[in-house]
Amino acid sequence: MLTPVRVSRPSLTDIDSICLRCLYRLSKATVVSTQRRRFSHSPPRLDLIATKPKQRDGYFSHNSLLGIAKLQAGNMARVNAPFERKIDTGERSASTESSSIQLPARTPSESPSAGLYYSPISELPHRRRKRLKGESTTSLDLDPIIPPDASSRLATVSTSLPPSSLRRLFTTCLSLSKPRLSFLMVLTTTTAYSLYPVPAVLLPTTTISPSLSALTLVFLTSGTALCCASANALNMLLEPEHDAKMTRTRNRPLVRGLITKRGAFVFASIAGAVGVGSLWFGVNPTVAFLGGINIFLYAAVYTPMKRLSVLNTWAGAVVGGIPPLMGWAAAAGQSASGNGEWQELLLGDGSIGGWLLAGLLFTWQFPHFNAFSWTIKEEYKNAGYRMLAWTNPKMNGRVALRYSFFFFPICFGLWWYGITDQGFLVTSSIVNVWIVREAWRFWAKEGQKGSARGLFWASIWHLPVIMVLAMAHKKGLWEGVWGWAIGEDTEEDPWLDGEEETRTSKEKKEGSSILEPILHVATAVS
């Protein structure tokens, strides 16, 4: 780029010896310099920039040179030094001063862009945005923020209460019971209870009494909740030293010393005894046995197995599949034709629905827990828990994807055996496709790029949505509404038809008995 060079005006003594025409030409003359600079590396006119009116903050926030110009306007040589280039004029003059000059370090308060320091040769804006985006994504994947569980939050609330108050004791015991997990188990139990197909003999149109007892439902929900509380308290009782090594569990009541181990054992024992007793006397012995065996499996099998083998996930899935089987057996006990023994309730003709719901909960455990454990796999590793997330990450993704495909045949089986109507096939397939898609991303990306969090939250929504859809599409729930909407005549009750036929035959017999003597006399006279 050619740069004009100004020519100094001649002195007064020289003017006397130059004519006016030459003087005019001399004043307009320019000397072309041989200096050439690259256009892309030409030094900015910081002195001109600094003299312009002050713009509002953030107007040139993408250009870091403006902030430097404001701070260094008084010392132009030091700012322009890094941009100087050697000039080829036949003689190479090396300048050592420009290479030795360094800008002073700037504090975050002096930086014009949120405390970030950029050198005069700053990176381009689009490259800076790409770098910041990559750093934020990497930080989220490598250091995920896992919120504390409900037990840890309740333990924090308990510390703010008076030490000897009943409120603190209640909050601590509620923290031991893991309320969110217990609520989920109660939800699956009551859903199975409501989905049980009531026989036609017990329909409200046939009998005055309700088909399923509300009192039985109360005993079922309370007993199941107490059994879950007992199992969770025993789980915390057996591993407080390992919970202290993990971020999300180190705030639990036993770790913080809010309750002694003896107190936790007393609470677990009372909750388990009352829960099993409620199921025994309020529901039936089969459901009580399932509640007791679930406490044993969770506390005595699943909890110690977490430090021994990765098969602990399968053991935990069995524990999660028992509550819906309890709800199904509770409803089946009210319409049992025999003595209501466990063979009839669990292995009878109508027991297939309970096993399908148990299989749904068993299958759901793998995409849910495998995605969750991946986000805190390092903490599991440091605490000594053997999980697929860190022992075999590839198998962890394959297991989550494999079991997510089983949702389709399970939902199909609920329609095939008359538990739900045909609409459930459509609505459940939409939700199942969603979780399979997230499981596929989790497997393909090996948990990276947010795929683990995506699958975890998909599983959180998947289970309650499937449960609600199953109850909304229960077989026979909408048949009366549909018949009324299209104007179909309702079918006559077969029990009423049978009573009418019995009454008609009885009247015929009474009429024949009255006419028989008259016919006998008429025959004798003739």
Side-chain angles (χ1 to χ4, degrees):
M1 180 176 179
L2 300 177
T3 303
V5 178
R6 297 179 59 184
V7 179
S8 60
R9 297 184 60 183
S11 61
L12 294 176
T13 56
D14 296 335
I15 294 177
D16 297 337
S17 61
I18 302 176
C19 65
L20 294 177
R21 180 179 297 180
C22 295
L23 182 63
Y24 177 78
R25 291 179 179 177
L26 184 63
S27 63
K28 296 295 183 180
T30 59
V31 178
V32 178
S33 174
T34 58
Q35 176 183 356
R36 292 179 179 271
R37 296 193 184 100
R38 297 180 181 179
F39 178 77
S40 59
H41 291 82
S42 59
R45 298 298 303 273
L46 299 181
D47 55 339
L48 297 180
I49 295 177
T51 57
K52 286 184 177 296
K54 182 180 180 180
Q55 302 289 345
R56 64 179 183 271
D57 293 339
Y59 188 82
F60 290 108
S61 59
H62 65 284
N63 190 358
S64 58
L65 294 178
L66 180 58
I68 297 175
K70 292 180 179 180
L71 293 176
Q72 304 294 338
N75 192 358
M76 297 306 302
R78 299 182 67 182
V79 176
N80 290 330
F83 295 94
E84 293 181 355
R85 296 291 184 270
K86 295 181 180 180
I87 302 174
D88 186 7
T89 57
E91 295 180 1
R92 297 183 176 273
S93 60
S95 177
T96 58
E97 296 181 358
S98 62
S99 59
S100 60
I101 296 177
Q102 297 181 355
L103 289 177
R106 298 174 59 184
T107 61
S109 59
E110 297 175 345
S111 177
S113 58
L116 297 177
Y117 173 72
Y118 293 98
S119 63
I121 310 178
S122 177
E123 61 182 332
L124 296 177
H126 70 280
R127 292 183 178 177
R128 182 172 66 252
R129 289 192 298 267
K130 184 177 180 180
R131 176 178 57 81
L132 294 177
K133 182 179 179 181
E135 291 177 356
S136 62
T137 304
T138 305
S139 62
L140 288 176
D141 287 336
L142 296 180
D143 189 17
I145 301 176
I146 302 298
D149 56 2
S151 298
S152 300
R153 294 181 180 180
L154 287 173
T156 303
V157 174
S158 181
T159 55
S160 62
L161 300 175
S164 59
S165 62
L166 292 177
R167 292 179 57 190
R168 177 166 183 169
L169 179 61
F170 174 77
T171 307
T172 303
C173 293
L174 186 62
S175 176
L176 286 173
S177 64
K178 297 183 182 179
R180 289 182 180 177
L181 181 59
S182 300
F183 175 76
L184 180 62
M185 295 297 100
V186 172
L187 176 64
T188 58
T189 305
T190 54
T191 301
Y193 183 82
S194 64
L195 285 176
Y196 183 80
V198 180
V201 181
L202 299 179
L203 288 174
T205 57
T206 306
T207 179
I208 300 176
S209 61
S211 56
L212 294 178
S213 173
L215 185 60
T216 303
L217 181 62
V218 172
F219 278 105
L220 177 65
T221 53
S222 59
T224 304
L226 289 173
C227 288
C228 292
S230 176
N232 293 325
L234 291 174
N235 172 263
M236 292 188 188
L237 180 62
L238 295 175
E239 49 186 18
E241 61 277 5
H242 306 300
D243 287 341
K245 302 176 183 179
M246 300 183 64
T247 305
R248 60 181 299 272
T249 59
R250 64 188 177 191
N251 200 33
R252 286 178 174 177
L254 281 170
V255 179
R256 300 189 63 174
L258 299 177
I259 190 173
T260 62
K261 289 187 176 182
R262 181 179 179 182
F265 179 76
V266 171
F267 168 74
S269 301
I270 294 176
V274 175
V276 174
S278 300
L279 296 176
W280 182 283
F281 294 104
V283 187
N284 58 61
T286 303
V287 178
F289 173 78
L290 291 175
I293 198 65
N294 216 21
I295 297 175
F296 173 79
L297 289 177
Y298 191 77
V301 178
Y302 168 72
T303 300
M305 198 173 183
K306 290 193 296 183
R307 302 182 60 83
L308 300 177
S309 173
V310 295
L311 296 178
N312 66 84
T313 307
W314 279 262
V318 173
V319 174
I322 291 180
L325 200 60
M326 294 170 58
W328 193 270
Q334 300 185 50
S335 59
S337 57
N339 296 328
E341 297 181 353
W342 68 271
Q343 295 90 341
E344 182 181 1
L345 301 182
L346 298 179
L347 303 177
D349 296 334
S351 62
I352 184 63
W355 290 103
L356 286 173
L357 293 175
L360 179 67
L361 265 295
F362 178 85
T363 302
W364 177 83
Q365 300 287 333
F366 295 96
H368 171 74
F369 183 76
N370 287 18
F372 171 75
S373 61
W374 191 93
T375 58
I376 54 175
K377 57 183 179 180
E378 293 300 328
E379 292 195 359
Y380 275 127
K381 183 178 180 179
N382 296 333
Y385 295 128
R386 298 191 61 82
M387 303 296 174
L388 280 175
W390 68 269
T391 58
N392 194 340
K394 293 184 178 180
M395 184 179 179
N396 185 62
R398 290 198 304 268
V399 170
L401 177 62
R402 184 185 306 128
Y403 279 93
S404 64
F405 282 106
F406 285 107
F407 290 123
F408 291 98
I410 292 174
C411 294
F412 179 81
L414 291 175
W415 164 76
W416 180 263
Y417 288 100
I419 311 301
T420 60
D421 56 19
Q422 295 180 353
F424 181 69
L425 291 177
V426 180
T427 55
S428 64
S429 297
I430 297 174
V431 185
N432 292 336
V433 167
W434 175 38
I435 195 171
V436 167
R437 174 181 174 273
E438 295 297 332
W440 180 273
R441 292 182 62 249
F442 177 69
W443 167 75
K445 298 182 179 181
E446 297 183 358
Q448 302 291 339
K449 299 183 179 180
S451 58
R453 294 190 301 273
L455 178 58
F456 172 73
W457 286 110
S459 64
I460 288 292
W461 285 101
H462 176 269
L463 183 61
V465 169
I466 286 293
M467 292 293 180
V468 171
L469 289 177
M471 290 187 290
H473 290 283
K474 183 179 179 180
K475 184 70 173 180
L477 183 62
W478 300 99
E479 289 182 358
V481 178
W482 176 255
W484 174 81
I486 63 177
E488 289 183 353
D489 295 334
T490 56
E491 298 180 359
E492 297 181 356
D493 193 348
W495 295 95
L496 296 179
D497 293 342
E499 292 180 359
E500 185 176 356
E501 292 177 0
T502 304
R503 184 171 58 253
T504 304
S505 60
K506 185 176 181 180
E507 290 177 354
K508 288 181 179 180
K509 290 181 179 179
E510 291 178 355
S512 61
S513 61
I514 295 174
L515 295 176
E516 185 175 356
I518 299 175
L519 294 175
H520 181 70
V521 172
T523 304
V525 172
S526 61

